[in-house]
Amino acid sequence: MAFNSRGLVIVVSGPGGVGKSTIVDALVKRDANLWLSRSWTTREQRSGEAPDAYKFVTREQFEQHIADGGFLEWTDFLGNLYGTPTPSAPEGKDTVLEIEVDGAQQVKQINANALLLFILPPSRQEQKSRLHGRGDPAQKVEKRLRKAEDEEPIGKAIADYVLINDDLGETVNEMSRIIDFERKKRQT
């Protein structure tokens, strides 16, 4: 599937519990030139999770959207489907995709100019604590931690930048600096 964007395509990826959603929300609030493409998922909404964190759909709705060619990328992650609808950012906006490592690989194959920012937790223990803190049951936490072990080497290999989210404010500042740098670099 072709995906042409006049603006910068920024892919924020990393294992569960590194703070991707929190970081991306802060970036989009800070930078009026960023537009977040909301992913679809078949997983249940977590207790306390914002209703617009994802477009929550049934497996049948998701599969129909696949059949219709409506996704830029999609993946089966621990038994749930996640996908990015083909983005259509407003004029003058850069697109932000907050997606899994598998999706980041797919986007990079479609758009070699996409900017991949890979986020890591400061430690596996902190990641575990964050996963528990957001309400994931113990069994899912363990699955996500095991999955992170597989994802991290791939994410690091395909990323343009790797950041450790040990301080949210500093991580958001660093990502803003990277985005500004990449915008300027690509304008020349």
Side-chain angles (χ1 to χ4, degrees):
M1 163 175 297
F3 169 52
N4 297 317
S5 173
R6 287 184 290 284
L8 183 62
V9 176
I10 303 154
V11 178
V12 178
S13 189
V18 297
K20 293 183 300 287
S21 297
T22 305
I23 292 166
V24 165
D25 287 345
L27 278 172
V28 171
K29 284 178 185 158
R30 175 186 287 195
D31 187 335
N33 292 319
L34 294 178
W35 174 78
L36 176 61
S37 172
R38 290 283 176 202
S39 297
W40 287 29
T41 186
T42 59
R43 79 160 168 76
E44 292 293 319
Q45 184 177 348
R46 291 184 193 105
S47 175
E49 185 173 32
D52 66 347
Y54 287 92
K55 181 171 180 178
F56 295 95
V57 298
T58 65
R59 184 168 280 272
E60 293 75 25
Q61 289 171 308
F62 198 103
E63 289 171 349
Q64 185 60 55
H65 207 63
I66 292 170
D68 293 343
F71 287 112
L72 174 62
E73 61 80 24
W74 67 274
T75 191
D76 185 322
F77 184 81
L78 300 177
N80 291 302
L81 300 176
Y82 292 82
T84 303
T86 304
S88 182
E91 186 68 34
K93 302 266 187 172
D94 294 324
T95 301
V96 178
L97 307 175
E98 176 200 331
I99 56 181
E100 305 295 335
V101 172
D102 184 51
Q105 289 179 293
Q106 292 176 54
V107 170
K108 196 65 170 178
Q109 289 172 352
I110 295 166
N111 182 343
N113 292 321
L115 173 63
L116 272 63
L117 305 173
F118 189 68
I119 313 299
L120 292 169
S123 69
R124 197 63 71 213
Q125 186 57 42
E126 178 61 22
Q127 181 184 11
K128 184 176 185 176
S129 174
R130 290 175 184 177
L131 289 167
H132 281 297
R134 72 181 192 188
D136 285 6
Q139 182 182 358
K140 281 204 181 207
V141 168
E142 292 309 316
K143 282 183 181 179
R144 285 192 173 270
L145 292 174
R146 284 194 302 274
K147 183 76 173 168
E149 296 286 339
D150 297 333
E151 288 178 320
E152 287 179 9
I154 297 165
K156 288 177 184 176
I158 65 172
D160 294 298
Y161 297 89
V162 177
L163 298 98
I164 297 172
N165 184 22
D166 56 354
D167 177 279
L168 177 63
E170 187 48 43
T171 301
V172 172
N173 288 339
E174 183 63 19
M175 287 179 78
S176 290
R177 286 190 290 269
I178 290 168
I179 292 167
D180 288 344
F181 172 78
E182 290 292 331
R183 281 176 175 152
K184 288 174 185 153
K185 182 171 96 173
R186 292 163 193 238
Q187 289 173 352
T188 58

